[in-house]
């Protein structure tokens, strides 16, 4: 049953980010009153976010905006007043960066979620539902079939094999595994600090909320992309990173052998799924994958971007790798399709066209990716 007359006041933590700002606008169009907490991180919004961030400017006149940190208890208490639904997006993102900024990721993602829940437990409020942004990163490596062992969940790959150019996932003595879609009952074994913190966020929300009469919903988003995505952040978002490199005429360095793959899901589909979680009672107490159900390898991504920009730059498959990266993962959508009726509408080819068309309208920024890689090299996390 869809819920239109209740749950009309929504608070989005991290609501000036890519997904949050798009969700804000869509909810306002549907008649909701939206409040946003966001600290306007320079990593995402640039050096002068209140003047230069298109994400922030797209919502600032439309929402009740609270500039501040998810770790500010007084701000949280103020922002939740009169709110029916909280959508919890506030988080540091990026698997690579999380491996050497461990405390920051734990503080924001874990402690920030704990504080939000602590406020909900101990303060008077009208919140009836909390939707939390989880991540495919909590799965770590995906799900496979071994002819010898059946359905398996391989452990994280080891540096010794990868230094020799062997990037395959293995299970015991079997390296000839067949990739399967990852369903919600798949093994949870994150391979990065980021993945661990997202697992903690999800578990805390799904555990605490029912104990205080609040309905939790968790969405395990795959790799979200589309118009409006931050082009300033060199730590996350492969399509944005490659786009900046291509437009600057710089070479694209492909990690591993280029066959590593992800499930790239368009922003409009993510917003649609999230609104289903807000509006449908069937979503209460449930966890859902959100993706396309299709895997696309990184080399294909680079070539498709060059094709759509009509810019040819060298694409070099380097054999280099980052500690904490997984090989493959794509979503099984059976549950969200059956229970909420969600079917993604934008395939990768169409999504890339829309994304690159938008990127070409944006000011060309500096390519800062190499500096982010150097940070990882200095920490011994890039080989």
């Amino acid at each position: 049953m869809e819920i239109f007359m209740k749950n009309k006041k929504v608070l989005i933590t991290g609501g000036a980010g890519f997904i949050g700002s798009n969700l804000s606008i869509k909810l306002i169009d549907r008649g909701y009153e939206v409040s946003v907490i966001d600290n306007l991180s320079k990593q995402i919004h640039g050096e002068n976010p209140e003047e230069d961030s298109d994400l922030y400017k797209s919502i600032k006149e439309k929402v009740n905006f609270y500039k501040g940190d998810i770790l500010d208890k007084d701000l949280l208490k103020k922002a939740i007043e009169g709110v029916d639904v909280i959508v919890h997006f506030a988080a540091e993102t990026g698997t690579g960066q999380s491996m050497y900024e461990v405390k920051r990721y734990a503080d924001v993602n874990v402690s920030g979620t704990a504080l939000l829940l602590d406020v909900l437990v101990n303060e008077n409020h009208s919140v009836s539902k909390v939707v939390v942004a989880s991540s495919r990163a909590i799965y770590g490596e995906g799900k496979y079939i071994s002819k010898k062992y059946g359905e398996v969940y391989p452990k994280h790959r080891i540096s010794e094999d990868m230094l020799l150019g062997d990037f395959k996932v293995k299970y015991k003595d079997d390296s000839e595994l067949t990739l399967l879609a990852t369903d919600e009952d798949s093994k949870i074994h994150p391979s990065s600090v980021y993945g661990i913190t997202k697992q903690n966020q999800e578990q805390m929300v799904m555990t605490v909320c029912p104990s205080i009469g609040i309905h939790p919903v968790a969405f395990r988003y795959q790799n979200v992309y589309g118009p409006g995505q931050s082009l300033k952040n060199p730590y996350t978002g492969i399509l944005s990173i490659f786009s900046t490199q291509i437009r600057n005429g710089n070479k694209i360095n492909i990690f591993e052998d280029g066959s590593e793959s992800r499930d790239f899901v368009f922003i409009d589909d993510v917003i649609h799924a999230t609104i289903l979680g807000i509006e449908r009672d069937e979503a209460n107490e449930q966890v859902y994958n959100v993706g396309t159900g299709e895997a696309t390898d990184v080399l294909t991504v680079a070539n498709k971007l060059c094709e759509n920009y009509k810019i040819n730059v060298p694409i070099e498959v380097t054999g280099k790798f980052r500690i904490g990266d997984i090989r493959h993962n794509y979503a099984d959508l059976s549950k969200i399709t059956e229970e909420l009726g969600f079917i993604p509408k934008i395939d990768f080819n169409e999504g890339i066209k829309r994304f690159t068309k938008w990127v070409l309208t944006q000011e060309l920024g500096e390519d800062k990716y190499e500096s982010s890689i150097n940070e990882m090299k200095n920490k011994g996390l890039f080989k």
Side-chain angles (χ1 to χ4, degrees):
M1 181 182 70
E2 294 194 0
I3 306 170
F4 289 109
M5 296 311 296
K6 59 180 178 177
N7 297 342
K8 296 296 286 187
K9 292 186 178 180
V10 179
L11 170 66
I12 306 176
T13 71
F18 174 43
I19 305 176
S21 59
N22 276 274
L23 179 62
S24 296
I25 293 167
K26 191 67 174 180
L27 288 175
I28 291 165
D29 288 345
R30 293 172 73 84
Y32 288 83
E33 180 182 331
V34 177
S35 297
V36 164
I37 295 176
D38 203 291
N39 65 359
L40 299 181
S41 164
K42 291 182 179 180
Q43 183 169 305
I44 296 169
H45 296 276
E47 290 299 317
N48 299 295
E50 293 182 72
E51 297 177 11
D52 300 335
S53 172
D54 289 337
L55 292 174
Y56 169 65
K57 288 191 291 186
S58 71
I59 64 168
K60 70 175 184 177
E61 303 296 338
K62 301 176 181 178
V63 304
N64 304 312
F65 188 78
Y66 298 91
K67 183 179 179 182
D69 199 275
I70 192 65
L71 291 165
D72 184 336
K73 185 175 183 179
D74 290 335
L75 183 65
L76 284 175
K77 289 166 63 175
K78 182 178 179 181
I80 68 170
E81 291 179 6
V83 165
D84 302 303
V85 177
I86 296 174
V87 182
H88 184 39
F89 286 155
E92 296 292 349
T93 61
T95 55
Q97 189 182 44
S98 75
M99 300 294 283
Y100 60 91
E101 295 201 16
V102 180
K103 184 177 185 301
R104 180 161 72 95
Y105 275 70
D107 284 347
V108 175
N109 297 4
V110 180
S111 296
T113 303
L115 181 60
L116 174 63
L117 292 170
D118 195 82
V119 169
L120 291 176
V121 170
N122 293 295
E123 303 293 334
N124 293 324
H125 60 79
S126 56
V127 175
S128 61
K129 181 177 285 194
V130 173
V131 178
V132 62
S134 187
S135 169
R136 60 96 186 147
I138 73 171
Y139 292 120
E141 286 293 350
K143 182 179 180 182
Y144 293 80
I145 283 288
S146 162
K147 290 182 180 179
K148 190 172 182 180
Y149 299 104
E151 189 176 289
V152 298
Y153 298 94
K155 294 181 179 179
H156 315 316
R157 296 172 294 166
I158 60 175
S159 296
E160 289 78 5
D161 287 343
M162 298 171 77
L163 286 168
L164 296 174
D166 180 3
F167 302 110
K168 288 184 178 180
V169 293
K170 301 177 176 66
Y171 186 81
K172 297 183 178 179
D173 58 346
D174 189 357
S175 61
E176 299 301 320
L177 306 176
T178 301
L179 179 66
L180 299 175
T182 307
D183 60 49
E184 290 85 352
D185 291 326
S186 295
K187 183 176 179 178
I188 303 299
H189 60 147
S191 61
S192 67
V193 171
Y194 170 69
I196 292 168
T197 65
K198 297 305 286 185
Q199 177 189 2
N200 288 341
Q201 282 188 318
E202 177 186 309
Q203 287 181 320
M204 284 192 288
V205 168
M206 299 304 293
T207 300
V208 174
C209 285
S211 73
I212 55 174
I214 295 176
H215 298 298
V217 183
F219 287 114
R220 295 171 181 170
Y221 298 128
Q222 292 280 331
N223 289 56
V224 186
Y225 74 100
Q229 187 170 349
S230 176
L231 301 175
K232 300 178 175 72
N233 190 349
Y235 298 95
T236 187
I238 187 173
L239 274 76
S240 294
I241 291 166
F242 283 177
S243 293
T244 300
Q245 291 177 316
I246 292 167
R247 294 182 71 205
N248 276 284
N250 296 335
K251 177 175 65 177
I252 298 177
N253 292 318
I254 304 289
F255 295 164
E256 303 185 19
D257 60 3
S259 296
E260 62 274 20
S261 65
R262 301 290 186 269
D263 185 337
F264 295 94
V265 57
F266 196 70
I267 183 64
D268 291 10
D269 287 323
V270 170
I271 299 307
H272 175 53
T274 306
I275 290 175
L276 289 172
I278 294 170
E279 294 185 343
R280 291 187 180 270
D281 288 336
E282 294 92 333
N284 296 350
E285 285 74 46
Q286 298 301 316
V287 174
Y288 297 106
N289 288 330
V290 179
T292 63
E294 297 182 1
T296 304
D297 67 76
V298 173
L299 193 54
T300 295
V301 171
N303 283 312
K304 282 287 183 184
L305 286 170
C306 288
E307 176 186 321
N308 278 273
Y309 288 125
K310 297 181 172 58
I311 301 173
N312 290 318
V313 298
I315 298 175
E316 181 180 348
V317 179
T318 65
K320 301 291 186 180
F321 60 92
R322 298 186 307 183
I323 304 296
D325 274 355
I326 64 164
R327 181 67 169 169
H328 301 295
N329 196 296
Y330 75 103
D332 184 325
L333 301 181
S334 301
K335 182 180 179 183
I336 193 170
T337 298
E338 180 179 341
E339 295 185 5
L340 301 185
F342 171 76
I343 299 173
K345 296 179 180 179
I346 309 298
D347 65 19
F348 186 68
N349 287 331
E350 176 61 24
I352 284 287
K353 288 179 183 177
R354 297 188 188 188
F355 173 70
T356 53
K357 182 179 179 180
W358 168 78
V359 171
L360 289 172
T361 68
Q362 303 301 298
E363 181 180 349
L364 177 59
E366 179 185 355
D367 182 0
K368 299 179 181 179
Y369 187 57
E370 195 62 34
S371 63
S372 72
I373 292 298
N374 287 334
E375 288 182 16
M376 295 201 72
K377 285 180 180 176
N378 293 335
K379 304 296 182 181
L381 297 167
F382 183 81
K383 305 291 185 179

